Amino acid sequence: TSHWTRGLLTRLKESKPRFGFKVIAGGAGAWQFRAAPQQRRELGVDLVFEGYFESAGPALVMNLLDGGHPDDCTELRTCTDDIAPIRAASAMGVIELSRGCGRGCRFCSMAKQRMEHVDVDIITSDLRCNRDAGRTSVVSSSEDFFRYGGRGTSVDFESLARLLEEMRRIEGLSFMQIDHGNISSVLQFSDAQLREIRELLRWEKATDYLWVNMGIESANGELVEANCPGKLKPFHAGDWEEHVREAADKMLRCGFFPVFSVILGLPGETSGDIARTRRLVEELGRKKAVVFPIFYEPAGPDETREEQRFTLDAMTAEHFKLYRACYEINFKLIPDLFWDNQRAGGVSLAKRTLLRMLGKGEVRSWRKAFRKIGDGLNA
């Protein structure tokens, strides 16, 4: 991502003298340009806009077009009342269901924004727009798919089921990939409700691996609560590890495929926390779930950010064992998950076969790197 972003911005910067345009950086990662002002200048970013565009974006662009020189803008209102239907197919067929989250995670730019939901009529209109443009597989966009229609951190099964029923009525769509869910949200549904949700997600193309991304962060619930104050609600920190196991079992028996993530370098973690998380990860692997390790990156520009972020230089032997355990699980399970997802999305057999062959080469490359790093840490 960094490589392609830098390449694009470099080309834009080279063209600015000829065309005289301005470069605005927006989107969920826009805060990173504020956190790295030197790189921002090098890449020719004139203005940073943080927030949802419907808020102050139109006025800001009109100001630029009128010859103004507005300052950076931060407008964090979710603005769901101002959302209009899209007019052309969205990138990757992304369909926005909700905005914000409000669970307070220190590493997330949506942490303090209360979750609000997009109107069903807007969602179905966006689906038809993608279908009419020939995009038959779509991706839901929400910080927590399972909280659609709910208030606070509570779920609302009736609202979610009603939305999925309306989406399913639209003909010509193959399937929808879910992006993110929350363990605490999943646990608020009964098995019967989750199975009904899964059935409503069976569109024209059946999928065996309908995956959902969910953050574990750490096996230590107290550590998670310290870094993500609202993530565990309405449950208790002391039960977190058991809740993770319960969510994995519940998702698997109800037809979903859990894709978990853990965070390396959470502020306050100990070597015991890391080892405990690795044992939990290995147990989840035996349940046939996959787990991705993520480096801690505090969200937002502040003077201590560089000291807090986790880097390769900070990786200990325990971190490496955890990281490697995650990927050894993924090497076994991810190929079938991708194959199934690509098949449902209409990718040809030839292309799927080629991608699988390339993937095997990647696995060998990763394992070679793991051996090299492991030798270095043991030296």
Side-chain angles (χ1 to χ4, degrees):
T1 303
S2 176
H3 170 78
W4 289 110
T5 301
R6 182 174 289 275
L8 171 64
L9 289 172
T10 299
R11 291 178 65 189
L12 289 173
K13 183 180 179 181
E14 292 169 351
S15 301
K16 286 173 73 174
R18 178 181 176 187
F19 296 103
F21 54 74
K22 300 287 186 181
V23 175
I24 306 174
W31 62 269
Q32 296 178 36
F33 287 99
R34 282 195 182 178
Q38 180 61 34
Q39 292 183 39
R40 168 184 169 179
R41 287 190 291 271
E42 291 172 357
L43 295 171
V45 174
D46 299 292
L47 186 66
V48 176
F49 180 86
E50 292 184 74
Y52 289 103
F53 192 78
E54 292 90 347
S55 56
L60 181 143
V61 171
M62 292 305 297
N63 189 346
L64 284 171
L65 292 174
D66 290 339
H69 301 279
D71 296 327
D72 289 351
C73 179
T74 300
E75 179 55 77
L76 297 178
R77 291 182 298 115
T78 49
C79 305
T80 49
D81 292 339
D82 299 327
I83 295 175
I86 59 175
R87 298 186 180 183
S90 53
M92 298 185 295
V94 169
I95 301 296
E96 194 172 27
L97 306 185
S98 304
R99 289 182 172 181
C101 175
R103 286 190 179 269
C105 299
R106 293 167 60 178
F107 46 80
C108 179
S109 58
M110 290 292 99
K112 297 180 181 179
Q113 307 309 310
R114 181 171 63 90
M115 177 170 276
E116 296 181 8
H117 310 290
V118 180
D119 186 81
V120 173
D121 291 339
I122 299 288
I123 294 171
T124 53
S125 174
D126 290 352
L127 272 174
R128 293 188 184 93
C129 183
N130 275 280
R131 179 204 59 190
D132 294 345
R135 204 177 281 282
T136 59
S137 61
V138 298
V139 182
S140 71
S141 173
S142 172
E143 294 299 316
D144 188 353
F145 168 84
F146 295 102
R147 274 167 64 199
Y148 181 84
R151 291 177 175 271
T153 57
S154 298
V155 301
D156 184 336
F157 170 71
E158 287 75 19
S159 292
L160 177 57
R162 190 160 51 248
L163 168 67
L164 296 177
E165 287 169 355
E166 292 298 321
M167 296 173 81
R168 199 183 189 196
R169 288 193 178 98
I170 300 173
E171 297 180 354
L173 291 168
S174 58
F175 87 113
M176 179 172 70
Q177 176 58 58
I178 301 171
D179 56 349
H180 292 93
N182 191 283
I183 289 168
S184 300
S185 300
V186 167
L187 294 177
Q188 294 178 57
F189 291 106
S190 67
D191 280 17
Q193 290 173 328
L194 279 176
R195 288 193 178 98
E196 184 171 342
I197 291 169
R198 179 65 178 92
E199 187 59 35
L200 289 169
L201 287 163
R202 295 186 192 278
W203 293 1
E204 292 185 3
K205 295 282 188 179
T207 53
D208 297 322
Y209 295 87
L210 185 61
W211 82 70
V212 185
N213 297 299
M214 297 187 290
I216 297 170
E217 324 316 0
S218 171
N220 182 345
E222 284 78 10
L223 181 65
V224 175
E225 190 169 58
N227 287 279
C228 313
K231 186 176 183 66
L232 282 62
K233 292 180 179 178
F235 303 104
H236 301 291
D239 302 322
W240 179 240
E241 193 170 352
E242 185 55 39
H243 287 327
V244 172
R245 296 188 187 94
E246 183 183 350
D249 290 337
K250 182 183 280 282
M251 294 291 276
L252 287 164
R253 66 176 175 257
C254 293
F256 294 93
F257 190 82
V259 175
F260 292 112
S261 61
V262 295
I263 296 181
L264 282 65
L266 275 174
E269 76 173 5
T270 65
S271 59
D273 294 330
I274 304 166
R276 180 179 168 185
T277 301
R278 176 168 54 85
R279 291 191 294 270
L280 176 60
V281 163
E282 290 168 348
E283 184 178 345
L284 292 171
R286 291 191 291 272
K287 294 177 184 289
K288 305 298 183 186
V290 301
V291 188
F292 283 95
I294 299 170
F295 284 14
Y296 177 74
E297 180 77 31
D302 61 64
E303 64 280 0
T304 62
R305 182 174 164 274
E306 284 300 317
E307 300 172 11
Q308 293 175 339
R309 67 196 303 257
F310 185 80
T311 64
L312 280 172
D313 292 337
M315 182 174 276
T316 65
E318 283 296 340
H319 283 124
F320 179 67
K321 289 177 185 176
L322 170 58
Y323 194 94
R324 190 171 189 171
C326 292
Y327 271 97
E328 286 300 336
I329 292 167
N330 297 347
F331 292 154
K332 298 173 184 175
L333 298 173
I334 289 294
D336 288 342
L337 184 152
F338 275 178
W339 181 275
D340 178 70
N341 190 263
Q342 291 162 350
R343 176 190 54 76
V347 178
S348 68
L349 176 62
K351 187 173 182 179
R352 278 182 279 145
T353 303
L354 175 61
L355 288 170
R356 174 162 284 199
M357 292 172 62
L358 292 172
K360 289 181 178 180
E362 284 292 303
V363 169
R364 285 193 293 270
S365 175
W366 277 69
R367 283 182 168 147
K368 182 178 179 181
F370 284 160
R371 286 193 295 271
K372 183 178 179 180
I373 295 169
D375 291 343
L377 287 171
N378 292 327

